Structure formats: C-alpha cells, structure tokens
Amino acid sequence: MVWLPPFLIPMSEVAPVTVGAADVPDALFAAVAGPTALGWLVTYILAIRQASRDRYVGIPAYLVAVNIAWEFSLTFLLEQTPTQRQINFLWLVFNVVLLRQALRYGPRDYPGLSTRVFRWTLAGVLVWASVVVMVGANEFRDLDGMYTGMIIQVPLSASFIFLLKRRGSSAGQSMYIAVAKTVGSLFAGLTAFVVYPSHHLLQVLVPTYVVLDLAYVVLLHRAMRREGRPPWAFRSPAAVTEAPAGSSTTGSGTGPAPRAGVGPRSDDATA
C-alpha cells in the first residue's frame, strides 16, 4: 500500500533526448548559429589580446582546458555533424593560444599552488574533461555537441564571476570580451531552442548561463568604473593588479610581474 500522495508530474512517454532535431530552414539556422560561432571567435581573439596586455588570463584557466577538451574531442575523436566539426576546429585553433597563455599566466590566480602543481592539475582537468565529453556526448547521442556544450556553459559563465571576485580587479578582462561572450552564448541557446524545441534540459541550462553572463557584464562594468578604467575604451591602458598575497612570480616562468597601477580597492570584494 502506497501511503504517499500521488505524484504531480508524470514522466514523459518518450524521452526528450531521443527526439531528433527539428527540420530547421537553412536561413534560420544560419541566423542563430552564425552569431554563435562569430561571438565566441571574437571572445577568444579579444581574450588573447587582453591577456597579452595585462599578463593575466582572459578566460579562467581551468575552463580553457575544458573548452579545449570539448573542441578537440568533438572535432577529432567522436562522430559529429560536418558543420559542427568545422566550427569546433576553428575555435580550437584559438583555444590552443589561450591554453599557452593559461600555462604562462594562470598560476598568478592560484598563489597557493606552485607553477608545477598548477600545470599538472590543468593537464588533469583537460584529460578528465575529454573523457567526460566523449562519454557524455555518446550517452546522449549528441551529434552536434549541444547537450555537452550547454552543460559546460553554466560553470564557464559562473567562472568569470568568480575570477573577477578572486582577482579583485578587471585585469585580463574587458567589456568587449564580456559582451562578445554573452552574444555568442545567447545565440548558442537560441540555436538549441530552434533545433531541439522538445529538449527541456536545454531550456533550463540556457536561461541559467545567460543570467550569469548578464550578471558578469554588470559586475565587470562596476569594477572598471571603480578602478577609473574607462569601460568602453578599446585602447585604454592595460589593466594591472597587485599580485595576490603569498604569490611569487620570481622564477616561476609566468612572465614579468605586473606593474603597480590599477589595483584592487577596498570595495572590490562587493562588486
């Protein structure tokens, strides 16, 4: 005898993940997928530029490893649609540069880790994420990386907020990176809605990371204004920050130490 009250929501008769892609006109697909590819491409280029200027990574280091794991695995290792493989390969080229910057500048954000430990853990994340992406994509029969991509987007968007808080300044970041990332992610979500209208998990993941992206835009803008750094000045002086307490750049192989300049203010922690 069942003593609990009846459940409120019955399980789907057909698992949504088994429902194939909708028949989307080519023009509509290009209208949503095109800005996705372009938005993230611009994000990567701007992040590379900003990291070169500030000597701090433009994209959180461990998420760079996850991005590369996703792009490499779904380009060369696991079956994917031809269109998605080409887009992934293009992104991968720029992420290789971002990974190189992460290996060089990433330790500055983790003063509690030696450079060697940081690099080994970064490699470990890359390998582990590659396995998870392949197994997960195969589990869902995710032929265009939609499920795995949307799942990764949530921690990726959150990591930018954590990076801003932990670093205590806008070093390595810019409003243009934030906006380009938001545009790319938003259109990725629209692509998911158009191609897989019955996949409800995507309908939860997309609003989640879009809200996180918008929150990051607002927080970064506030931080830059407090620092006296013009938010929309594309050629403004490179943002710099004081090295976190306990960090050491001498002999670490992470490049020259940042100059004293735009450092964290007392109210940065509440950005």
PDB file of all heavy atoms in Angstrom, residues 66-103:
ATOM      1  N   VAL A  66      38.836  22.877 -20.242  1.00  0.00           N
ATOM      2  CA  VAL A  66      37.557  22.218 -20.537  1.00  0.00           C
ATOM      3  C   VAL A  66      37.105  22.539 -21.959  1.00  0.00           C
ATOM      4  O   VAL A  66      36.620  21.667 -22.693  1.00  0.00           O
ATOM      5  CB  VAL A  66      36.488  22.653 -19.515  1.00  0.00           C
ATOM      6  CG1 VAL A  66      35.116  22.118 -19.908  1.00  0.00           C
ATOM      7  CG2 VAL A  66      36.858  22.160 -18.119  1.00  0.00           C
ATOM      8  N   ASN A  67      37.264  23.780 -22.368  1.00  0.00           N
ATOM      9  CA  ASN A  67      36.900  24.169 -23.737  1.00  0.00           C
ATOM     10  C   ASN A  67      37.694  23.373 -24.771  1.00  0.00           C
ATOM     11  O   ASN A  67      37.144  22.888 -25.762  1.00  0.00           O
ATOM     12  CB  ASN A  67      37.147  25.659 -23.946  1.00  0.00           C
ATOM     13  CG  ASN A  67      35.993  26.514 -23.464  1.00  0.00           C
ATOM     14  OD1 ASN A  67      34.926  26.008 -23.140  1.00  0.00           O
ATOM     15  ND2 ASN A  67      36.208  27.815 -23.394  1.00  0.00           N
ATOM     16  N   ILE A  68      39.001  23.272 -24.550  1.00  0.00           N
ATOM     17  CA  ILE A  68      39.832  22.528 -25.484  1.00  0.00           C
ATOM     18  C   ILE A  68      39.426  21.060 -25.507  1.00  0.00           C
ATOM     19  O   ILE A  68      39.382  20.425 -26.573  1.00  0.00           O
ATOM     20  CB  ILE A  68      41.324  22.675 -25.124  1.00  0.00           C
ATOM     21  CG1 ILE A  68      41.814  24.048 -25.570  1.00  0.00           C
ATOM     22  CG2 ILE A  68      42.169  21.577 -25.745  1.00  0.00           C
ATOM     23  CD1 ILE A  68      43.311  24.212 -25.577  1.00  0.00           C
ATOM     24  N   ALA A  69      39.123  20.507 -24.341  1.00  0.00           N
ATOM     25  CA  ALA A  69      38.689  19.116 -24.275  1.00  0.00           C
ATOM     26  C   ALA A  69      37.435  18.912 -25.114  1.00  0.00           C
ATOM     27  O   ALA A  69      37.320  17.928 -25.867  1.00  0.00           O
ATOM     28  CB  ALA A  69      38.422  18.718 -22.819  1.00  0.00           C
ATOM     29  N   TRP A  70      36.489  19.841 -25.005  1.00  0.00           N
ATOM     30  CA  TRP A  70      35.240  19.744 -25.770  1.00  0.00           C
ATOM     31  C   TRP A  70      35.513  19.860 -27.265  1.00  0.00           C
ATOM     32  O   TRP A  70      35.042  19.054 -28.068  1.00  0.00           O
ATOM     33  CB  TRP A  70      34.282  20.845 -25.302  1.00  0.00           C
ATOM     34  CG  TRP A  70      32.906  20.768 -25.877  1.00  0.00           C
ATOM     35  CD1 TRP A  70      31.859  20.011 -25.426  1.00  0.00           C
ATOM     36  CD2 TRP A  70      32.413  21.481 -27.021  1.00  0.00           C
ATOM     37  NE1 TRP A  70      30.753  20.209 -26.209  1.00  0.00           N
ATOM     38  CE2 TRP A  70      31.064  21.114 -27.201  1.00  0.00           C
ATOM     39  CE3 TRP A  70      32.984  22.399 -27.903  1.00  0.00           C
ATOM     40  CZ2 TRP A  70      30.276  21.632 -28.224  1.00  0.00           C
ATOM     41  CZ3 TRP A  70      32.208  22.909 -28.927  1.00  0.00           C
ATOM     42  CH2 TRP A  70      30.862  22.533 -29.084  1.00  0.00           C
ATOM     43  N   GLU A  71      36.279  20.867 -27.638  1.00  0.00           N
ATOM     44  CA  GLU A  71      36.516  21.121 -29.064  1.00  0.00           C
ATOM     45  C   GLU A  71      37.355  20.025 -29.714  1.00  0.00           C
ATOM     46  O   GLU A  71      37.048  19.569 -30.818  1.00  0.00           O
ATOM     47  CB  GLU A  71      37.176  22.491 -29.232  1.00  0.00           C
ATOM     48  CG  GLU A  71      36.256  23.642 -28.889  1.00  0.00           C
ATOM     49  CD  GLU A  71      36.988  24.910 -28.532  1.00  0.00           C
ATOM     50  OE1 GLU A  71      38.241  24.906 -28.531  1.00  0.00           O
ATOM     51  OE2 GLU A  71      36.318  25.912 -28.237  1.00  0.00           O
ATOM     52  N   PHE A  72      38.418  19.594 -29.038  1.00  0.00           N
ATOM     53  CA  PHE A  72      39.277  18.567 -29.613  1.00  0.00           C
ATOM     54  C   PHE A  72      38.539  17.233 -29.720  1.00  0.00           C
ATOM     55  O   PHE A  72      38.589  16.563 -30.760  1.00  0.00           O
ATOM     56  CB  PHE A  72      40.539  18.403 -28.771  1.00  0.00           C
ATOM     57  CG  PHE A  72      41.501  17.379 -29.328  1.00  0.00           C
ATOM     58  CD1 PHE A  72      42.410  17.734 -30.314  1.00  0.00           C
ATOM     59  CD2 PHE A  72      41.485  16.061 -28.881  1.00  0.00           C
ATOM     60  CE1 PHE A  72      43.290  16.792 -30.842  1.00  0.00           C
ATOM     61  CE2 PHE A  72      42.357  15.118 -29.403  1.00  0.00           C
ATOM     62  CZ  PHE A  72      43.260  15.483 -30.393  1.00  0.00           C
ATOM     63  N   SER A  73      37.859  16.854 -28.643  1.00  0.00           N
ATOM     64  CA  SER A  73      37.168  15.560 -28.628  1.00  0.00           C
ATOM     65  C   SER A  73      36.086  15.487 -29.687  1.00  0.00           C
ATOM     66  O   SER A  73      35.913  14.458 -30.352  1.00  0.00           O
ATOM     67  CB  SER A  73      36.557  15.304 -27.244  1.00  0.00           C
ATOM     68  OG  SER A  73      37.550  15.274 -26.245  1.00  0.00           O
ATOM     69  N   LEU A  74      35.355  16.593 -29.870  1.00  0.00           N
ATOM     70  CA  LEU A  74      34.242  16.584 -30.816  1.00  0.00           C
ATOM     71  C   LEU A  74      34.657  17.027 -32.217  1.00  0.00           C
ATOM     72  O   LEU A  74      33.811  17.158 -33.099  1.00  0.00           O
ATOM     73  CB  LEU A  74      33.113  17.467 -30.287  1.00  0.00           C
ATOM     74  CG  LEU A  74      32.554  17.046 -28.917  1.00  0.00           C
ATOM     75  CD1 LEU A  74      31.325  17.869 -28.562  1.00  0.00           C
ATOM     76  CD2 LEU A  74      32.241  15.555 -28.870  1.00  0.00           C
ATOM     77  N   THR A  75      35.950  17.243 -32.403  1.00  0.00           N
ATOM     78  CA  THR A  75      36.463  17.516 -33.751  1.00  0.00           C
ATOM     79  C   THR A  75      37.175  16.293 -34.309  1.00  0.00           C
ATOM     80  O   THR A  75      36.966  15.919 -35.474  1.00  0.00           O
ATOM     81  CB  THR A  75      37.445  18.707 -33.739  1.00  0.00           C
ATOM     82  OG1 THR A  75      36.770  19.873 -33.272  1.00  0.00           O
ATOM     83  CG2 THR A  75      37.982  18.970 -35.145  1.00  0.00           C
ATOM     84  N   PHE A  76      37.991  15.656 -33.490  1.00  0.00           N
ATOM     85  CA  PHE A  76      38.858  14.587 -33.986  1.00  0.00           C
ATOM     86  C   PHE A  76      38.540  13.189 -33.463  1.00  0.00           C
ATOM     87  O   PHE A  76      38.929  12.200 -34.080  1.00  0.00           O
ATOM     88  CB  PHE A  76      40.323  14.905 -33.646  1.00  0.00           C
ATOM     89  CG  PHE A  76      40.840  16.154 -34.296  1.00  0.00           C
ATOM     90  CD1 PHE A  76      41.076  17.302 -33.554  1.00  0.00           C
ATOM     91  CD2 PHE A  76      41.084  16.193 -35.667  1.00  0.00           C
ATOM     92  CE1 PHE A  76      41.551  18.454 -34.148  1.00  0.00           C
ATOM     93  CE2 PHE A  76      41.560  17.344 -36.268  1.00  0.00           C
ATOM     94  CZ  PHE A  76      41.794  18.474 -35.516  1.00  0.00           C
ATOM     95  N   LEU A  77      37.844  13.093 -32.338  1.00  0.00           N
ATOM     96  CA  LEU A  77      37.708  11.784 -31.707  1.00  0.00           C
ATOM     97  C   LEU A  77      36.320  11.162 -31.863  1.00  0.00           C
ATOM     98  O   LEU A  77      36.210   9.971 -32.153  1.00  0.00           O
ATOM     99  CB  LEU A  77      38.058  11.883 -30.216  1.00  0.00           C
ATOM    100  CG  LEU A  77      39.466  12.403 -29.897  1.00  0.00           C
ATOM    101  CD1 LEU A  77      39.693  12.439 -28.388  1.00  0.00           C
ATOM    102  CD2 LEU A  77      40.531  11.552 -30.579  1.00  0.00           C
ATOM    103  N   LEU A  78      35.282  11.933 -31.657  1.00  0.00           N
ATOM    104  CA  LEU A  78      33.927  11.389 -31.653  1.00  0.00           C
ATOM    105  C   LEU A  78      33.128  11.902 -32.846  1.00  0.00           C
ATOM    106  O   LEU A  78      33.288  13.044 -33.270  1.00  0.00           O
ATOM    107  CB  LEU A  78      33.219  11.779 -30.350  1.00  0.00           C
ATOM    108  CG  LEU A  78      31.926  11.034 -30.027  1.00  0.00           C
ATOM    109  CD1 LEU A  78      32.211   9.561 -29.740  1.00  0.00           C
ATOM    110  CD2 LEU A  78      31.227  11.675 -28.825  1.00  0.00           C
ATOM    111  N   GLU A  79      32.262  11.066 -33.358  1.00  0.00           N
ATOM    112  CA  GLU A  79      31.422  11.433 -34.505  1.00  0.00           C
ATOM    113  C   GLU A  79      30.601  12.685 -34.200  1.00  0.00           C
ATOM    114  O   GLU A  79      29.974  12.799 -33.149  1.00  0.00           O
ATOM    115  CB  GLU A  79      30.474  10.284 -34.833  1.00  0.00           C
ATOM    116  CG  GLU A  79      29.508  10.596 -35.975  1.00  0.00           C
ATOM    117  CD  GLU A  79      28.461   9.509 -36.161  1.00  0.00           C
ATOM    118  OE1 GLU A  79      28.440   8.542 -35.362  1.00  0.00           O
ATOM    119  OE2 GLU A  79      27.660   9.637 -37.106  1.00  0.00           O
ATOM    120  N   GLN A  80      30.626  13.621 -35.138  1.00  0.00           N
ATOM    121  CA  GLN A  80      29.829  14.848 -35.043  1.00  0.00           C
ATOM    122  C   GLN A  80      29.369  15.243 -36.445  1.00  0.00           C
ATOM    123  O   GLN A  80      29.888  14.740 -37.448  1.00  0.00           O
ATOM    124  CB  GLN A  80      30.649  15.986 -34.439  1.00  0.00           C
ATOM    125  CG  GLN A  80      30.987  15.808 -32.971  1.00  0.00           C
ATOM    126  CD  GLN A  80      29.853  16.150 -32.054  1.00  0.00           C
ATOM    127  OE1 GLN A  80      29.620  17.304 -31.721  1.00  0.00           O
ATOM    128  NE2 GLN A  80      29.127  15.124 -31.609  1.00  0.00           N
ATOM    129  N   THR A  81      28.421  16.164 -36.523  1.00  0.00           N
ATOM    130  CA  THR A  81      27.984  16.649 -37.830  1.00  0.00           C
ATOM    131  C   THR A  81      29.129  17.417 -38.486  1.00  0.00           C
ATOM    132  O   THR A  81      29.927  18.062 -37.797  1.00  0.00           O
ATOM    133  CB  THR A  81      26.769  17.568 -37.693  1.00  0.00           C
ATOM    134  OG1 THR A  81      27.114  18.710 -36.900  1.00  0.00           O
ATOM    135  CG2 THR A  81      25.601  16.833 -37.044  1.00  0.00           C
ATOM    136  N   PRO A  82      29.233  17.377 -39.811  1.00  0.00           N
ATOM    137  CA  PRO A  82      30.330  18.072 -40.501  1.00  0.00           C
ATOM    138  C   PRO A  82      30.393  19.566 -40.186  1.00  0.00           C
ATOM    139  O   PRO A  82      31.489  20.112 -39.990  1.00  0.00           O
ATOM    140  CB  PRO A  82      30.020  17.824 -41.982  1.00  0.00           C
ATOM    141  CG  PRO A  82      29.229  16.550 -41.992  1.00  0.00           C
ATOM    142  CD  PRO A  82      28.401  16.587 -40.754  1.00  0.00           C
ATOM    143  N   THR A  83      29.242  20.223 -40.130  1.00  0.00           N
ATOM    144  CA  THR A  83      29.230  21.664 -39.858  1.00  0.00           C
ATOM    145  C   THR A  83      29.805  21.964 -38.481  1.00  0.00           C
ATOM    146  O   THR A  83      30.644  22.858 -38.316  1.00  0.00           O
ATOM    147  CB  THR A  83      27.803  22.218 -39.944  1.00  0.00           C
ATOM    148  OG1 THR A  83      27.306  22.022 -41.275  1.00  0.00           O
ATOM    149  CG2 THR A  83      27.773  23.707 -39.626  1.00  0.00           C
ATOM    150  N   GLN A  84      29.375  21.190 -37.482  1.00  0.00           N
ATOM    151  CA  GLN A  84      29.845  21.432 -36.129  1.00  0.00           C
ATOM    152  C   GLN A  84      31.334  21.135 -36.000  1.00  0.00           C
ATOM    153  O   GLN A  84      32.051  21.835 -35.282  1.00  0.00           O
ATOM    154  CB  GLN A  84      29.060  20.586 -35.130  1.00  0.00           C
ATOM    155  CG  GLN A  84      29.316  20.937 -33.677  1.00  0.00           C
ATOM    156  CD  GLN A  84      28.933  22.368 -33.345  1.00  0.00           C
ATOM    157  OE1 GLN A  84      27.850  22.825 -33.719  1.00  0.00           O
ATOM    158  NE2 GLN A  84      29.818  23.087 -32.667  1.00  0.00           N
ATOM    159  N   ARG A  85      31.827  20.136 -36.678  1.00  0.00           N
ATOM    160  CA  ARG A  85      33.256  19.809 -36.613  1.00  0.00           C
ATOM    161  C   ARG A  85      34.095  20.972 -37.135  1.00  0.00           C
ATOM    162  O   ARG A  85      35.142  21.294 -36.565  1.00  0.00           O
ATOM    163  CB  ARG A  85      33.561  18.553 -37.423  1.00  0.00           C
ATOM    164  CG  ARG A  85      33.047  17.254 -36.827  1.00  0.00           C
ATOM    165  CD  ARG A  85      33.525  16.070 -37.631  1.00  0.00           C
ATOM    166  NE  ARG A  85      34.958  15.877 -37.473  1.00  0.00           N
ATOM    167  CZ  ARG A  85      35.712  15.185 -38.326  1.00  0.00           C
ATOM    168  NH1 ARG A  85      35.185  14.647 -39.410  1.00  0.00           N
ATOM    169  NH2 ARG A  85      37.010  15.039 -38.104  1.00  0.00           N
ATOM    170  N   GLN A  86      33.642  21.604 -38.209  1.00  0.00           N
ATOM    171  CA  GLN A  86      34.395  22.721 -38.773  1.00  0.00           C
ATOM    172  C   GLN A  86      34.417  23.916 -37.821  1.00  0.00           C
ATOM    173  O   GLN A  86      35.455  24.573 -37.648  1.00  0.00           O
ATOM    174  CB  GLN A  86      33.788  23.123 -40.115  1.00  0.00           C
ATOM    175  CG  GLN A  86      33.940  22.046 -41.182  1.00  0.00           C
ATOM    176  CD  GLN A  86      33.236  22.416 -42.478  1.00  0.00           C
ATOM    177  OE1 GLN A  86      33.591  23.381 -43.130  1.00  0.00           O
ATOM    178  NE2 GLN A  86      32.223  21.637 -42.850  1.00  0.00           N
ATOM    179  N   ILE A  87      33.275  24.189 -37.191  1.00  0.00           N
ATOM    180  CA  ILE A  87      33.217  25.288 -36.222  1.00  0.00           C
ATOM    181  C   ILE A  87      34.121  24.986 -35.035  1.00  0.00           C
ATOM    182  O   ILE A  87      34.876  25.839 -34.569  1.00  0.00           O
ATOM    183  CB  ILE A  87      31.765  25.519 -35.761  1.00  0.00           C
ATOM    184  CG1 ILE A  87      30.913  26.028 -36.931  1.00  0.00           C
ATOM    185  CG2 ILE A  87      31.722  26.521 -34.607  1.00  0.00           C
ATOM    186  CD1 ILE A  87      29.438  26.136 -36.606  1.00  0.00           C
ATOM    187  N   ASN A  88      34.047  23.746 -34.549  1.00  0.00           N
ATOM    188  CA  ASN A  88      34.873  23.356 -33.411  1.00  0.00           C
ATOM    189  C   ASN A  88      36.357  23.510 -33.716  1.00  0.00           C
ATOM    190  O   ASN A  88      37.139  23.956 -32.865  1.00  0.00           O
ATOM    191  CB  ASN A  88      34.595  21.897 -33.028  1.00  0.00           C
ATOM    192  CG  ASN A  88      33.202  21.704 -32.450  1.00  0.00           C
ATOM    193  OD1 ASN A  88      32.503  22.659 -32.146  1.00  0.00           O
ATOM    194  ND2 ASN A  88      32.808  20.455 -32.324  1.00  0.00           N
ATOM    195  N   PHE A  89      36.752  23.130 -34.924  1.00  0.00           N
ATOM    196  CA  PHE A  89      38.160  23.226 -35.296  1.00  0.00           C
ATOM    197  C   PHE A  89      38.619  24.684 -35.296  1.00  0.00           C
ATOM    198  O   PHE A  89      39.723  25.006 -34.830  1.00  0.00           O
ATOM    199  CB  PHE A  89      38.396  22.607 -36.670  1.00  0.00           C
ATOM    200  CG  PHE A  89      39.824  22.729 -37.143  1.00  0.00           C
ATOM    201  CD1 PHE A  89      40.810  21.894 -36.621  1.00  0.00           C
ATOM    202  CD2 PHE A  89      40.182  23.681 -38.074  1.00  0.00           C
ATOM    203  CE1 PHE A  89      42.135  22.012 -37.034  1.00  0.00           C
ATOM    204  CE2 PHE A  89      41.505  23.808 -38.496  1.00  0.00           C
ATOM    205  CZ  PHE A  89      42.471  22.968 -37.981  1.00  0.00           C
ATOM    206  N   LEU A  90      37.781  25.573 -35.810  1.00  0.00           N
ATOM    207  CA  LEU A  90      38.130  26.993 -35.831  1.00  0.00           C
ATOM    208  C   LEU A  90      38.325  27.515 -34.414  1.00  0.00           C
ATOM    209  O   LEU A  90      39.305  28.212 -34.122  1.00  0.00           O
ATOM    210  CB  LEU A  90      37.035  27.784 -36.546  1.00  0.00           C
ATOM    211  CG  LEU A  90      37.254  29.292 -36.695  1.00  0.00           C
ATOM    212  CD1 LEU A  90      38.506  29.584 -37.516  1.00  0.00           C
ATOM    213  CD2 LEU A  90      36.036  29.954 -37.318  1.00  0.00           C
ATOM    214  N   TRP A  91      37.410  27.185 -33.518  1.00  0.00           N
ATOM    215  CA  TRP A  91      37.552  27.602 -32.123  1.00  0.00           C
ATOM    216  C   TRP A  91      38.796  26.993 -31.488  1.00  0.00           C
ATOM    217  O   TRP A  91      39.476  27.645 -30.700  1.00  0.00           O
ATOM    218  CB  TRP A  91      36.321  27.171 -31.324  1.00  0.00           C
ATOM    219  CG  TRP A  91      35.082  27.970 -31.602  1.00  0.00           C
ATOM    220  CD1 TRP A  91      35.017  29.222 -32.121  1.00  0.00           C
ATOM    221  CD2 TRP A  91      33.732  27.557 -31.359  1.00  0.00           C
ATOM    222  NE1 TRP A  91      33.707  29.632 -32.216  1.00  0.00           N
ATOM    223  CE2 TRP A  91      32.902  28.633 -31.753  1.00  0.00           C
ATOM    224  CE3 TRP A  91      33.149  26.412 -30.844  1.00  0.00           C
ATOM    225  CZ2 TRP A  91      31.506  28.566 -31.644  1.00  0.00           C
ATOM    226  CZ3 TRP A  91      31.770  26.348 -30.737  1.00  0.00           C
ATOM    227  CH2 TRP A  91      30.959  27.417 -31.130  1.00  0.00           C
ATOM    228  N   LEU A  92      39.080  25.739 -31.829  1.00  0.00           N
ATOM    229  CA  LEU A  92      40.210  25.032 -31.231  1.00  0.00           C
ATOM    230  C   LEU A  92      41.529  25.735 -31.518  1.00  0.00           C
ATOM    231  O   LEU A  92      42.411  25.807 -30.652  1.00  0.00           O
ATOM    232  CB  LEU A  92      40.255  23.592 -31.744  1.00  0.00           C
ATOM    233  CG  LEU A  92      41.404  22.709 -31.241  1.00  0.00           C
ATOM    234  CD1 LEU A  92      41.336  22.547 -29.730  1.00  0.00           C
ATOM    235  CD2 LEU A  92      41.363  21.346 -31.938  1.00  0.00           C
ATOM    236  N   VAL A  93      41.677  26.263 -32.712  1.00  0.00           N
ATOM    237  CA  VAL A  93      42.910  26.943 -33.091  1.00  0.00           C
ATOM    238  C   VAL A  93      43.214  28.079 -32.113  1.00  0.00           C
ATOM    239  O   VAL A  93      44.339  28.243 -31.633  1.00  0.00           O
ATOM    240  CB  VAL A  93      42.813  27.474 -34.533  1.00  0.00           C
ATOM    241  CG1 VAL A  93      44.002  28.386 -34.853  1.00  0.00           C
ATOM    242  CG2 VAL A  93      42.745  26.321 -35.529  1.00  0.00           C
ATOM    243  N   PHE A  94      42.194  28.860 -31.797  1.00  0.00           N
ATOM    244  CA  PHE A  94      42.393  29.992 -30.893  1.00  0.00           C
ATOM    245  C   PHE A  94      42.519  29.532 -29.446  1.00  0.00           C
ATOM    246  O   PHE A  94      43.228  30.151 -28.646  1.00  0.00           O
ATOM    247  CB  PHE A  94      41.247  30.991 -31.048  1.00  0.00           C
ATOM    248  CG  PHE A  94      41.281  31.725 -32.364  1.00  0.00           C
ATOM    249  CD1 PHE A  94      40.594  31.239 -33.464  1.00  0.00           C
ATOM    250  CD2 PHE A  94      42.033  32.878 -32.506  1.00  0.00           C
ATOM    251  CE1 PHE A  94      40.643  31.902 -34.685  1.00  0.00           C
ATOM    252  CE2 PHE A  94      42.091  33.551 -33.721  1.00  0.00           C
ATOM    253  CZ  PHE A  94      41.393  33.061 -34.813  1.00  0.00           C
ATOM    254  N   ASN A  95      41.848  28.453 -29.100  1.00  0.00           N
ATOM    255  CA  ASN A  95      41.950  27.953 -27.733  1.00  0.00           C
ATOM    256  C   ASN A  95      43.333  27.390 -27.429  1.00  0.00           C
ATOM    257  O   ASN A  95      43.750  27.351 -26.263  1.00  0.00           O
ATOM    258  CB  ASN A  95      40.880  26.890 -27.472  1.00  0.00           C
ATOM    259  CG  ASN A  95      39.723  27.452 -26.656  1.00  0.00           C
ATOM    260  OD1 ASN A  95      39.918  28.025 -25.594  1.00  0.00           O
ATOM    261  ND2 ASN A  95      38.513  27.298 -27.164  1.00  0.00           N
ATOM    262  N   VAL A  96      44.045  26.941 -28.445  1.00  0.00           N
ATOM    263  CA  VAL A  96      45.417  26.490 -28.233  1.00  0.00           C
ATOM    264  C   VAL A  96      46.276  27.658 -27.751  1.00  0.00           C
ATOM    265  O   VAL A  96      47.114  27.513 -26.849  1.00  0.00           O
ATOM    266  CB  VAL A  96      46.000  25.876 -29.524  1.00  0.00           C
ATOM    267  CG1 VAL A  96      47.503  25.662 -29.390  1.00  0.00           C
ATOM    268  CG2 VAL A  96      45.311  24.546 -29.832  1.00  0.00           C
ATOM    269  N   VAL A  97      46.060  28.836 -28.336  1.00  0.00           N
ATOM    270  CA  VAL A  97      46.781  30.036 -27.890  1.00  0.00           C
ATOM    271  C   VAL A  97      46.372  30.388 -26.465  1.00  0.00           C
ATOM    272  O   VAL A  97      47.210  30.740 -25.620  1.00  0.00           O
ATOM    273  CB  VAL A  97      46.507  31.220 -28.837  1.00  0.00           C
ATOM    274  CG1 VAL A  97      47.271  32.466 -28.369  1.00  0.00           C
ATOM    275  CG2 VAL A  97      46.898  30.865 -30.262  1.00  0.00           C
ATOM    276  N   LEU A  98      45.073  30.288 -26.181  1.00  0.00           N
ATOM    277  CA  LEU A  98      44.595  30.566 -24.831  1.00  0.00           C
ATOM    278  C   LEU A  98      45.182  29.592 -23.812  1.00  0.00           C
ATOM    279  O   LEU A  98      45.485  29.972 -22.674  1.00  0.00           O
ATOM    280  CB  LEU A  98      43.064  30.505 -24.795  1.00  0.00           C
ATOM    281  CG  LEU A  98      42.334  31.677 -25.465  1.00  0.00           C
ATOM    282  CD1 LEU A  98      40.859  31.338 -25.676  1.00  0.00           C
ATOM    283  CD2 LEU A  98      42.479  32.946 -24.630  1.00  0.00           C
ATOM    284  N   LEU A  99      45.353  28.335 -24.217  1.00  0.00           N
ATOM    285  CA  LEU A  99      45.955  27.353 -23.319  1.00  0.00           C
ATOM    286  C   LEU A  99      47.407  27.710 -23.025  1.00  0.00           C
ATOM    287  O   LEU A  99      47.874  27.589 -21.884  1.00  0.00           O
ATOM    288  CB  LEU A  99      45.865  25.954 -23.920  1.00  0.00           C
ATOM    289  CG  LEU A  99      46.470  24.831 -23.067  1.00  0.00           C
ATOM    290  CD1 LEU A  99      45.749  24.719 -21.727  1.00  0.00           C
ATOM    291  CD2 LEU A  99      46.428  23.504 -23.814  1.00  0.00           C
ATOM    292  N   ARG A 100      48.113  28.152 -24.031  1.00  0.00           N
ATOM    293  CA  ARG A 100      49.506  28.571 -23.831  1.00  0.00           C
ATOM    294  C   ARG A 100      49.561  29.737 -22.837  1.00  0.00           C
ATOM    295  O   ARG A 100      50.432  29.780 -21.959  1.00  0.00           O
ATOM    296  CB  ARG A 100      50.126  28.976 -25.165  1.00  0.00           C
ATOM    297  CG  ARG A 100      51.599  29.366 -25.081  1.00  0.00           C
ATOM    298  CD  ARG A 100      52.158  29.658 -26.457  1.00  0.00           C
ATOM    299  NE  ARG A 100      53.577  30.027 -26.387  1.00  0.00           N
ATOM    300  CZ  ARG A 100      54.024  31.245 -26.124  1.00  0.00           C
ATOM    301  NH1 ARG A 100      53.166  32.230 -25.899  1.00  0.00           N
ATOM    302  NH2 ARG A 100      55.320  31.491 -26.089  1.00  0.00           N
ATOM    303  N   GLN A 101      48.639  30.680 -22.972  1.00  0.00           N
ATOM    304  CA  GLN A 101      48.598  31.797 -22.031  1.00  0.00           C
ATOM    305  C   GLN A 101      48.217  31.326 -20.631  1.00  0.00           C
ATOM    306  O   GLN A 101      48.734  31.831 -19.634  1.00  0.00           O
ATOM    307  CB  GLN A 101      47.600  32.852 -22.516  1.00  0.00           C
ATOM    308  CG  GLN A 101      48.054  33.588 -23.761  1.00  0.00           C
ATOM    309  CD  GLN A 101      47.067  34.667 -24.180  1.00  0.00           C
ATOM    310  OE1 GLN A 101      45.866  34.550 -23.951  1.00  0.00           O
ATOM    311  NE2 GLN A 101      47.575  35.727 -24.786  1.00  0.00           N
ATOM    312  N   ALA A 102      47.309  30.340 -20.570  1.00  0.00           N
ATOM    313  CA  ALA A 102      46.905  29.807 -19.261  1.00  0.00           C
ATOM    314  C   ALA A 102      48.087  29.155 -18.554  1.00  0.00           C
ATOM    315  O   ALA A 102      48.259  29.300 -17.336  1.00  0.00           O
ATOM    316  CB  ALA A 102      45.762  28.801 -19.439  1.00  0.00           C
ATOM    317  N   LEU A 103      48.911  28.439 -19.301  1.00  0.00           N
ATOM    318  CA  LEU A 103      50.090  27.806 -18.707  1.00  0.00           C
ATOM    319  C   LEU A 103      51.084  28.855 -18.215  1.00  0.00           C
ATOM    320  O   LEU A 103      51.760  28.651 -17.197  1.00  0.00           O
ATOM    321  CB  LEU A 103      50.761  26.897 -19.732  1.00  0.00           C
ATOM    322  CG  LEU A 103      49.994  25.620 -20.105  1.00  0.00           C
ATOM    323  CD1 LEU A 103      50.631  24.953 -21.315  1.00  0.00           C
ATOM    324  CD2 LEU A 103      49.939  24.662 -18.922  1.00  0.00           C
TER     325      LEU A 103
END
